Each structure stands twice: as structure tokens, then as C-alpha cells.
Amino acid sequence: MSVYKKEYFGIARKIVSNMTTQSWEEIPHATMGYEADITEFLNECKKLNAAGVQAADKITINTVVMKVICEGLKAAPKMNCTLEFKRKLVRGSLKYHDNIDISMPMILHTGEMMTVNMHDMGNKTLSEMTASINDKIRRANNSNMNEVMYEVSLDNTLTGLKNGKLAQTLSRLYGSKMPGRHKVHTLSGSKKKMYYSIPVEDRLTKHDIEQGTTTITNLGSVYREQKGCCFLLEIIPPQTTAFAINAAQKRPVVTTDENGNERIEIRTILPITIAIDHRSLDYGDCIPFFRKLDEIFENPSVIQSWK
């Protein structure tokens, strides 16, 4: 078998590979699909943006769906918990959070992927969510990803050391800083001084990419021509849930008219994939979430009150 190229992991790929490996090693995943009929919902979304609104200020469908998920999490707060679990002792506890902090993957202008923490999205209006996302993108595009991710990686390593994970700490330091092709390259000298002279309000810090309380990945915005939906997605510990918003698709759907007659119509369906950590959640814990989504999609005019 011939090899024409060998690519070594940079710090972003190292962090992603480490976190996802930990996810599948530790977490018993259970996944579910929710298919929302968004035919009328899309019409309500269009009404949110009045004539003359600047493109940067427009409320996107992606933002509205994120808000829908936040409303579902408010109805099912156990789905917004983080988990502490010690398998050897079979001891576990759930931490309930006041805020819904969303870990949201985004693709930068460089083509790099970065997962950022959108803090307190559950308590924001749609306009505030839009402004927050736009500001995060602006600051991300001013940031050196290696520097930001190394800050986070170093912080996680030191936290591991405090928790007595000496072997893990030494292995990570060796793997990232020893000379060779696997070394993580960060800024130094005048370049480092120049970069850190950028005000923190104009670049990302470790606060912006620390773990949220859940993860929402918008696959449909990356590939709108997607057919079908995501079946598996990883939960990043200590989170206990993850969501994938797939691309909206035309589907034949059985509907009922005002006289109770059933017929088949072409409707716009948005598949949403939900993964839960079965150590902390059962299907019954998610029912309030699904009921809230049913309520919103059956009465989509409610989104006008979120603006």
C-alpha cells in the first residue's frame, strides 16, 4: 500500500482527537432523532428581519433553531447538566446549571474549525444571540488558534495535575513540547508580544473556548445539500447531551385537514439528532424537551416574542 502524504496533527486536531476518544471510551451514548415540520416555521423566521436590516444583523434560521433547543432545555433542565462519575467507586453526581452555555463548532475564514463557548444563550433574545455570535466570529478571525488552544490545553493539563493525574500531565507535556514533528508550535519573541498586545475584547481567550453545558453542531449550515441525517455524535465530558441540526429537506408527510381527512403533502422537515449520556439520563427525562419542541413547531408564531 503506497502512501503519497503524511500529515501530522496540529494542536486543534490533537485536542479534538483526545476529547472524542475520551468521549467514546467513557460515555454510554444513546441517540434519538427528532423531525420537525418547519414549513410554517420558516415563514415566521422570514418575518423576524424587517426591511432595511443590515445583513450582519439579520437573524438566521440557525440562530432561531438554537433558541428552540434552548427553550427545550429549559423545559428539561436535567439535559443541561454536567456529570461527575467515578466508575471504580460507582459514585456519580449531576450539576444543574443556571445558564445554558453552548459549545458551538464554527469554521473560520482560514478554513480551521474551532469550537467556541456561546455563554448564557438561554437567557438572550434572538437579537442578542445574533450579536453575540457575530462578535465571537469577529474575534475568532483576529485570533491565533494555536495560541488560544494551547492556553486551554495547558489549563486542562494543570487541572489534571491538581487532580493527581501526574502520568497524564507528563505525557501531554512530552507530546506537545518535545522537539520533533509532533511538537506544538506557538508564538515566541516579538510575534508573541505583538499578538498579546491585541485587547482581549478583540481576540479569543480560553474563556471563549472552555467547555459549555451542552454542544450544538449545525451540520446543515456546513452542507445544505445534505440528504438524510447524522446518526451518531459524541458527547464531550462532562457534558451529558449533544445536538446536531441537519439540513432542512423536502419530505412526503401525512397531514390531516380540518375535516379529519388524511392526505400526503410535500413538507419541509428539519431532522435534529440528540445524543444523551445514559449514565445520567433516560429517555423519560427527555420527554419535556420533545414536548416543548412540539409546542413551538406547532405554534411557530411564538418566535416573534423572542426577538
Side-chain angles (χ1 to χ4, degrees):
M1 181 172 62
S2 63
V3 176
Y4 75 93
K5 182 181 179 181
K6 189 171 184 178
E7 183 176 286
Y8 292 90
F9 283 4
I11 188 167
R13 200 74 253 158
K14 285 186 177 189
I15 290 175
V16 170
S17 60
N18 182 65
M19 293 173 70
T20 52
T21 299
Q22 182 185 357
S23 170
W24 290 108
E25 284 179 344
E26 295 181 0
I27 298 176
H29 289 67
T31 57
M32 296 161 278
Y34 180 90
E35 295 192 341
D37 185 336
I38 61 169
T39 310
E40 283 78 28
F41 179 83
L42 290 176
N43 294 328
E44 293 294 335
C45 288
K46 291 177 183 177
K47 297 177 186 177
L48 292 169
N49 296 304
V53 174
Q54 297 292 323
D57 298 325
K58 285 189 175 181
I59 298 168
T60 67
I61 293 171
N62 297 334
T63 302
V64 184
V65 175
M66 184 184 293
K67 177 68 171 175
V68 170
I69 292 174
C70 286
E71 293 300 306
L73 292 174
K74 289 179 188 177
K78 195 173 183 181
M79 294 179 72
N80 190 50
C81 284
T82 52
L83 173 69
E84 287 184 352
F85 183 72
K86 298 184 184 300
R87 188 175 182 184
K88 289 183 178 179
L89 299 174
V90 198
R91 292 177 179 174
S93 62
L94 289 176
K95 293 182 179 179
Y96 286 74
H97 301 280
D98 293 330
N99 295 343
I100 298 173
D101 294 338
I102 297 172
S103 293
M104 184 184 79
M106 63 168 60
I107 298 177
L108 308 179
H109 69 294
T110 59
E112 295 175 286
M113 193 280 290
M114 166 67 68
T115 298
V116 297
N117 187 327
M118 302 305 305
H119 291 275
D120 196 21
M121 294 302 265
N123 291 320
K124 285 182 169 64
T125 65
L126 289 171
S127 296
E128 290 169 339
M129 291 174 74
T130 299
S132 182
I133 292 170
N134 288 341
D135 183 65
K136 195 79 74 172
I137 293 171
R138 176 188 68 83
R139 292 190 290 122
N141 286 331
N142 288 335
S143 302
N144 182 298
M145 292 300 104
N146 278 3
E147 287 296 315
V148 182
M149 299 193 86
Y150 185 71
E151 283 182 35
V152 174
S153 179
L154 183 60
D155 185 67
N156 290 342
T157 300
L158 293 176
T159 299
L161 184 59
K162 290 178 184 177
N163 293 333
K165 298 179 180 179
L166 180 60
Q168 181 190 78
T169 300
L170 294 175
S171 295
R172 286 185 176 183
L173 290 173
Y174 177 84
S176 65
K177 278 303 182 183
M178 286 299 291
R181 291 172 176 172
H182 296 281
K183 181 180 179 180
V184 173
H185 296 280
T186 53
L187 298 176
S188 61
S190 59
K191 289 183 179 180
K192 184 171 185 175
K193 185 176 180 180
M194 183 179 297
Y195 176 71
Y196 283 99
S197 70
I198 300 173
V200 292
E201 59 267 22
D202 290 328
R203 59 178 170 84
L204 297 183
T205 67
K206 65 182 181 181
H207 175 71
D208 296 297
I209 58 174
E210 66 189 4
Q211 283 293 324
T213 57
T214 190
T215 296
I216 300 178
T217 302
N218 198 321
L219 301 177
S221 66
V222 177
Y223 183 51
R224 294 184 180 180
E225 294 78 17
Q226 176 195 19
K227 302 295 187 293
C229 64
C230 166
F231 292 103
L232 286 174
L233 67 160
E234 64 275 358
I235 300 162
I236 303 302
Q239 298 174 6
T240 57
T241 54
F243 303 85
I245 303 169
N246 299 275
Q249 299 156 43
K250 296 287 186 181
R251 299 267 187 89
V253 176
V254 177
T255 62
T256 306
D257 64 22
E258 63 275 9
N259 298 316
N261 299 313
E262 292 183 339
R263 60 185 179 186
I264 296 176
E265 292 184 33
I266 302 299
R267 308 282 291 180
T268 303
I269 302 300
L270 180 69
I272 300 174
T273 310
I274 302 102
I276 63 171
D277 184 334
H278 219 327
R279 295 174 300 178
S280 57
L281 289 160
D282 296 313
Y283 179 72
D285 297 314
C286 305
I287 290 175
F289 174 87
F290 292 121
R291 283 182 174 155
K292 188 63 178 180
L293 266 61
D294 288 344
E295 178 187 319
I296 293 168
F297 289 117
E298 288 169 8
N299 301 280
S301 61
V302 70
I303 71 174
Q304 304 303 327
S305 65
W306 298 347
K307 189 175 179 181

